[in-house]
Amino acid sequence: MTRKLFELCGTETERVFSPFCWRTRMALAHKDIKAETIPWRFSEKDAIAPHQSDKVPVLIDGETSIADSWAIANYLEDTYPDRPSLFGGEGGRAMGRMLNWWGDTVVLGGIFPMIAADIHGLLRPADQAYFRKTREARLGKTLEEAAANRDQAVEGFRNALNPMRLTLKTQTYLGGTSPNYADYIVFGPFQWARATSPFKLLKEDDPVYAWREKLLDAFGGMARNSPGYVV
Amino acid sequence: MTRKLFELCGTETERVFSPFCWRTRMALAHKDIKAETIPWRFSEKDAIAPHQSDKVPVLIDGETSIADSWAIANYLEDTYPDRPSLFGGEGGRAMGRMLNWWGDTVVLGGIFPMIAADIHGLLRPADQAYFRKTREARLGKTLEEAAANRDQAVEGFRNALNPMRLTLKTQTYLGGTSPNYADYIVFGPFQWARATSPFKLLKEDDPVYAWREKLLDAFGGMARNSPGYVV
């Protein structure tokens, strides 16, 4: 059985960059489950419409298709219980829901204005028009205005990572002594930035930087070997 | 065996208000473990010094004494594994560490400036001097200046609760279908505010308000029946 994963890319099909797709990529690797990438672009809504979604990731696993990174993580945990656990039990699954929202609002939402203009530069012209229109509405400013403010914005972003930074003082990963889905939740947005932007989000002496290095090396350097900037 | 818990109070011994002690109170109730309160005030460092701590909570369980709410939660989980779990497995324990830091920095740290002047009003004169000196240094302003700004500060505080608010859209508690230590982490600071200040932190139509109501009712209304304001 060939599993397939629709993953967001721009002009280069190898440069898969969606933060949500990266959460799923890492979750699949954690479970040691292979899936073939189907490159997908913002304007290709028709390709995933049969799977009741207008966004990626969409995972096709035999007769089943699942959209949304959180739903996919839960599907993988429930369908492949004998593989390494993504949540470390039901408490981790429940708390993971909140960490997922923290990852979406604080990490992904914090990074987005700083890299949006760079993402735009990687897209095909048709996708550029869609991206600019929808994202500028969300930002309340132009992509270029958001980028111009990033040296200042990054300070607030780094401060907002404090709960994570303090956690890493006493454990190597958010998941404990080894990484689990809690780590992939936060790593996804960092890998999105790495794939799309040369902007330096973290200082090298930050424990979050050291944590990110470990996840770049995980699964045989899967994330590090994917197209991206050295940041 | 009588277990004992040193708990912070002010002039009234019944009005126990430390956010950290409330985390421990809820954790003990979750495990259905009784502990007798030893009222403790900021100036009574000598009373807990034999237990290698200068802060409460300090739990005395037979020959063992444990300080720090996170350490106590871990102690209870490990020592009483047959009682209801506080973390729901090792994944929950690891992710709980981060939620604990989120609770400390975002929830407790967000509430503190808004209620500090009210806390001061509940203390004995000797404790008031200590509290004003140490807390004003931490705030970088007077207790009264911090209170004067609270109508504005509460907006930012409410926004910062978004990851929790979004989580409560799909599950009743941070711990899932029933509360666990993830909930007590966040409830502790809310109960601290309730015990000390009439200031309204949450709007009544906020899902976080409904969640707080449920925890006020938990364990036979333990928190609701403790001295506090109706907020």
Side-chain angles (χ1 to χ4, degrees):
Chain A
M1 184 176 67
T2 308
R3 293 185 195 87
K4 292 180 178 175
L5 181 67
F6 284 95
E7 292 192 87
L8 181 67
C9 65
T11 52
E12 296 170 66
T13 53
E14 300 75 26
R15 191 180 296 266
V16 288
F17 60 81
S18 155
F20 305 106
C21 292
W22 270 100
R23 287 178 182 165
T24 298
R25 276 208 159 204
M26 300 294 278
L28 285 164
H30 184 98
K31 291 269 184 198
D32 196 19
I33 292 171
K34 301 274 179 283
E36 181 190 308
T37 296
I38 305 174
W40 180 87
R41 295 166 187 89
F42 288 117
S43 52
E44 297 170 342
K45 303 284 186 200
D46 289 352
I48 53 174
H51 306 293
Q52 283 73 52
S53 185
D54 63 352
K55 297 192 191 76
V56 291
V58 173
L59 176 69
I60 301 176
D61 188 9
E63 298 297 304
T64 308
S65 63
I66 315 102
D68 179 85
S69 59
W70 178 254
I72 292 170
N74 280 272
Y75 167 83
L76 293 173
E77 188 77 340
D78 294 335
T79 309
Y80 303 100
D82 298 337
R83 304 295 184 97
S85 174
L86 288 168
F87 298 122
E90 289 310 303
R93 190 195 298 247
M95 296 187 211
R97 191 74 194 88
M98 170 141 167
L99 292 186
N100 203 72
W101 281 121
W102 185 83
D104 284 359
T105 56
V106 173
V107 186
L108 194 157
I111 290 173
F112 180 65
M114 299 188 275
I115 68 168
D118 294 322
I119 295 173
H120 181 266
L122 297 174
L123 305 178
R124 291 178 175 181
D127 293 313
Q128 284 185 324
Y130 164 83
F131 185 84
R132 180 178 290 278
K133 185 177 171 189
T134 55
R135 272 45 177 185
E136 290 189 345
R138 197 181 295 172
L139 288 165
K141 58 181 79 169
T142 67
L143 303 178
E144 292 72 19
E145 283 166 349
N149 186 48
R150 66 187 181 182
D151 287 331
Q152 189 182 335
V154 75
E155 300 295 335
F157 170 71
R158 288 174 185 161
N159 276 339
L161 298 178
N162 270 339
M164 173 174 183
R165 191 171 289 123
L166 289 159
T167 303
L168 297 174
K169 285 171 75 170
T170 53
Q171 59 195 51
T172 309
Y173 297 100
L174 303 183
T177 53
S178 57
N180 71 11
Y181 199 68
D183 297 276
Y184 311 145
I185 285 168
V186 183
F187 181 73
F190 277 111
Q191 180 69 0
W192 171 51
R194 183 179 178 280
T196 58
S197 173
F199 186 65
K200 198 170 171 58
L201 293 172
L202 299 171
K203 292 184 178 173
E204 291 187 21
D205 62 356
D206 188 338
V208 181
Y209 184 99
W211 164 89
R212 186 180 60 179
E213 287 290 300
K214 290 190 190 80
L215 286 160
L216 283 167
D217 289 334
F219 312 122
M222 180 175 75
R224 196 186 293 282
N225 295 331
S226 184
Y229 293 90
V230 177
V231 285
Chain B
M1 183 176 67
T2 307
R3 293 184 194 85
K4 293 181 180 175
L5 181 67
F6 284 96
E7 291 192 88
L8 181 67
C9 64
T11 51
E12 296 169 65
T13 53
E14 301 76 23
R15 191 179 297 266
V16 287
F17 61 81
S18 155
F20 306 106
C21 292
W22 269 101
R23 288 177 181 165
T24 298
R25 276 208 158 203
M26 300 294 279
L28 285 164
H30 184 99
K31 292 265 183 203
D32 196 19
I33 292 171
K34 301 272 179 284
E36 179 190 310
T37 295
I38 306 175
W40 180 87
R41 294 166 188 88
F42 287 118
S43 52
E44 298 171 342
K45 304 283 186 199
D46 289 353
I48 53 174
H51 306 292
Q52 282 73 52
S53 185
D54 63 352
K55 297 191 191 75
V56 292
V58 173
L59 176 69
I60 301 176
D61 188 9
E63 298 297 305
T64 307
S65 63
I66 315 101
D68 180 84
S69 59
W70 179 254
I72 292 171
N74 279 273
Y75 167 82
L76 293 174
E77 188 76 342
D78 294 336
T79 309
Y80 303 100
D82 298 336
R83 305 294 185 99
S85 173
L86 287 168
F87 298 121
E90 288 310 304
R93 190 195 298 248
M95 296 187 211
R97 190 75 196 86
M98 171 142 168
L99 292 186
N100 203 72
W101 281 120
W102 185 83
D104 284 1
T105 55
V106 173
V107 186
L108 195 156
I111 290 173
F112 180 65
M114 300 189 274
I115 68 168
D118 294 322
I119 295 173
H120 180 266
L122 298 173
L123 305 178
R124 290 177 175 181
D127 293 311
Q128 285 185 323
Y130 163 83
F131 185 83
R132 180 176 290 279
K133 185 177 173 189
T134 54
R135 271 49 175 182
E136 291 189 344
R138 198 180 294 173
L139 289 164
K141 57 182 78 169
T142 67
L143 303 179
E144 291 72 18
E145 284 165 348
N149 186 48
R150 66 188 180 182
D151 286 331
Q152 191 182 334
V154 76
E155 300 294 334
F157 170 71
R158 289 174 185 162
N159 277 338
L161 299 178
N162 270 338
M164 173 174 182
R165 190 171 290 123
L166 290 160
T167 303
L168 297 175
K169 285 172 74 172
T170 54
Q171 58 195 50
T172 309
Y173 296 100
L174 303 182
T177 53
S178 57
N180 71 10
Y181 200 68
D183 296 277
Y184 311 145
I185 284 168
V186 182
F187 181 73
F190 276 110
Q191 180 69 359
W192 170 51
R194 184 180 178 280
T196 58
S197 173
F199 186 64
K200 195 169 173 60
L201 292 173
L202 298 172
K203 292 184 179 173
E204 291 187 22
D205 61 357
D206 188 338
V208 181
Y209 183 99
W211 163 90
R212 186 181 59 180
E213 286 291 300
K214 291 190 189 80
L215 286 160
L216 284 167
D217 289 333
F219 313 122
M222 180 175 76
R224 197 185 291 284
N225 296 330
S226 185
Y229 293 90
V230 177
V231 284

